[in-house]
Amino acid sequence: MAARGSAPPPSAGTLRRLERASGAIATRAVARMDEDLPWFRTMPADQRSWVMLVAQAGIASLVEWCRNPGRPPRLTGEVFGAAPRDLVRAVPLKQTVDLVKLTVEVMDDHVESVAEPGDAVALRVAVLQFSREVAFATAHVYASFAENRGAWDARLEALVVDALVRGERSEELPGRAAALGWAGTEPVTVLVGAAPADGDAHAGVRRAARSQGCEVLVGVHAEQLVVVLGGADDVVAAARRVAEEFAPGPVVLGPVVDRLSAAGGSAAAALAGLRAARAWPGAPRPVAADALLPERALDGDPLARAALTDRVVRPLRGAGGEVLETVRAVLAGGGNLEASARALFVHPNTVRYRLKRAAELTGQVATDPRGAWTLHVALVLADLDGGRSLWR
């Protein structure tokens, strides 16, 4: 509001008296805050002193405005500039409204004692109109802070996600995530897939993750949407819900880790899985990166190749020749147990027992198409790696 309309300004004498009383009024306002607002009493001394400065600057700005009624008050710089930006972080908007309200009430209480005879109404109207300007300025300060903080948070979040994607193990990573509100919860996992074409996936992903009780970090790496989830009670259910916010196509869930600083490994596995997922058109959505070990290994992922060796090849070798020979026979026979038993000169139940033992060791069932494929790829790659042939 640029001017105060037809209301006459307070007299020069009243304004001088208001100036002289500004310190006492500000002190009384802070005392009222201490009396009426329990949360204000718990504030650190430096923040309480900032509030005092803001109150004094507000009264000084009121006096200046009354002397120049045609000039709009520059409240953002003159009043709120008296306190550091940290005060906006420390005091939420609702609490700031309470502070302004109490300050205006105290000023109104002092109108009769400050105003010269016959000038009380003009001063009271000026205080009322000025308080409205303060309300607009307060909203502007918090809106600007939220906008700037949002832009900064977005950049910081992008840096954190990018660091995870690149496999950095910086000691600063947990601190950066904490600045974004990450509570350090576990378990942690990474979900990757295609980013929506409209580029507006962040809000939807956050809503979906928080509906599952998850902490979340979101970033776009190239054209891939990367989502870090933390603290899910049911990781698979949470991933399934968040996957709905991705663009059409495969979505891959990285292995679960126990802390954010280890999430780089989960991200690496998920990204490798995403590159290889096209080789399994019927994969679920989302699909676990570990379920894509055969495709990842064939795509040249050394971590997947090593995992197949550790989880499939070594356990089968350690189980003895009979188990390995039976798995080989069943794979060669297309899963036909009777034909495999005849080839091995054993009873079909013996084949079943040995396959059960192999499944316990590797987690893969040789008679299941997906399990057979995983076993086949693992054994062939082991043979190609130069080890003793597993097929002869």
Side-chain angles (χ1 to χ4, degrees):
M1 166 173 166
R4 301 202 340 268
S6 59
S11 67
T14 293
L15 296 180
R16 285 194 298 270
R17 294 175 66 174
L18 179 59
E19 263 185 322
R20 289 193 296 269
S22 61
I25 294 174
T27 301
R28 178 54 190 153
V30 172
R32 276 283 306 277
M33 295 170 193
D34 195 69
E35 293 169 5
D36 297 355
L37 304 174
W39 57 265
F40 183 78
R41 292 194 290 271
T42 65
M43 289 179 66
D46 58 341
Q47 293 180 7
R48 290 161 61 93
S49 67
W50 294 339
V51 172
M52 170 77 81
L53 289 174
V54 171
Q56 289 179 321
I59 298 171
S61 184
L62 167 63
V63 172
E64 181 62 26
W65 182 53
C66 290
R67 286 175 175 160
N68 300 278
R71 181 178 71 85
R74 293 174 298 196
L75 296 174
T76 301
E78 293 177 351
V79 178
F80 294 100
R85 298 287 292 176
D86 291 344
L87 188 61
V88 181
R89 297 186 181 92
V91 184
L93 177 59
K94 181 181 182 303
Q95 293 180 351
T96 300
V97 170
D98 291 338
L99 296 178
V100 171
K101 180 173 178 289
L102 273 176
T103 302
V104 171
E105 289 178 358
V106 170
M107 290 176 66
D108 190 67
D109 291 342
H110 283 74
V111 164
E112 296 292 343
S113 61
V114 170
E116 291 191 330
D119 216 16
V121 173
L123 181 57
R124 184 166 280 114
V125 169
V127 169
L128 177 63
Q129 293 175 330
F130 187 76
S131 68
R132 183 168 59 181
E133 297 291 345
V134 171
F136 283 120
T138 302
H140 174 75
V141 168
Y142 276 85
S144 298
F145 173 77
E147 182 178 355
N148 293 335
R149 177 60 189 266
W152 168 251
D153 283 355
R155 289 192 293 271
L156 182 58
E157 185 174 32
L159 287 173
V160 171
V161 173
D162 188 59
L164 291 174
V165 168
R166 288 187 282 108
E168 290 186 7
R169 290 184 173 271
S170 171
E171 295 179 357
E172 298 177 355
L173 190 63
R176 291 176 177 175
L180 294 167
W182 185 272
T185 52
E186 58 180 58
V188 178
T189 188
V190 178
L191 197 65
V192 300
D198 58 13
D200 190 28
H202 288 60
V205 166
R206 293 188 205 287
R207 285 194 299 270
R210 286 166 183 160
S211 73
Q212 301 297 309
C214 296
E215 298 284 348
V216 61
L217 298 172
V218 189
V220 176
H221 183 76
E223 297 180 353
Q224 298 156 349
L225 183 62
V226 181
V227 179
V228 184
L229 298 175
D233 292 330
D234 187 335
V235 172
V236 174
R240 188 179 298 120
R241 172 64 187 89
V242 174
E244 297 173 6
E245 305 300 326
F246 284 71
V251 177
V252 181
L253 179 65
V256 172
V257 295
D258 60 358
R259 61 193 184 281
L260 182 64
S261 59
S266 181
L271 290 167
L274 187 63
R275 288 191 297 271
R278 62 181 180 274
W280 185 10
R285 190 175 190 265
V287 58
D290 282 356
L292 288 160
L293 286 177
E295 289 79 9
R296 288 168 51 194
L298 293 175
D299 192 45
D301 179 7
L303 294 177
R305 201 156 179 161
L308 287 175
T309 298
D310 290 340
R311 301 177 192 181
V312 175
V313 178
R314 286 176 181 159
L316 288 178
R317 283 177 174 169
E322 291 180 345
V323 173
L324 178 57
E325 183 183 25
T326 300
V327 169
R328 181 178 66 218
V330 171
L331 293 177
N336 189 314
L337 299 187
E338 286 73 16
S340 300
R342 288 194 298 271
L344 294 170
F345 302 102
V346 297
H347 193 277
N349 284 343
T350 301
V351 173
R352 292 187 179 92
Y353 170 78
R354 293 175 181 174
L355 291 183
K356 180 180 178 182
R357 176 64 177 153
E360 292 171 349
L361 291 170
T362 66
Q364 306 296 332
V365 179
T367 54
D368 172 76
R370 188 69 195 169
W373 164 247
T374 302
L375 290 166
H376 194 167
V377 170
L379 297 176
V380 168
L381 289 177
D383 196 31
L384 291 175
D385 280 340
R388 181 175 58 84
S389 174
L390 298 172
W391 296 94
R392 293 186 296 275

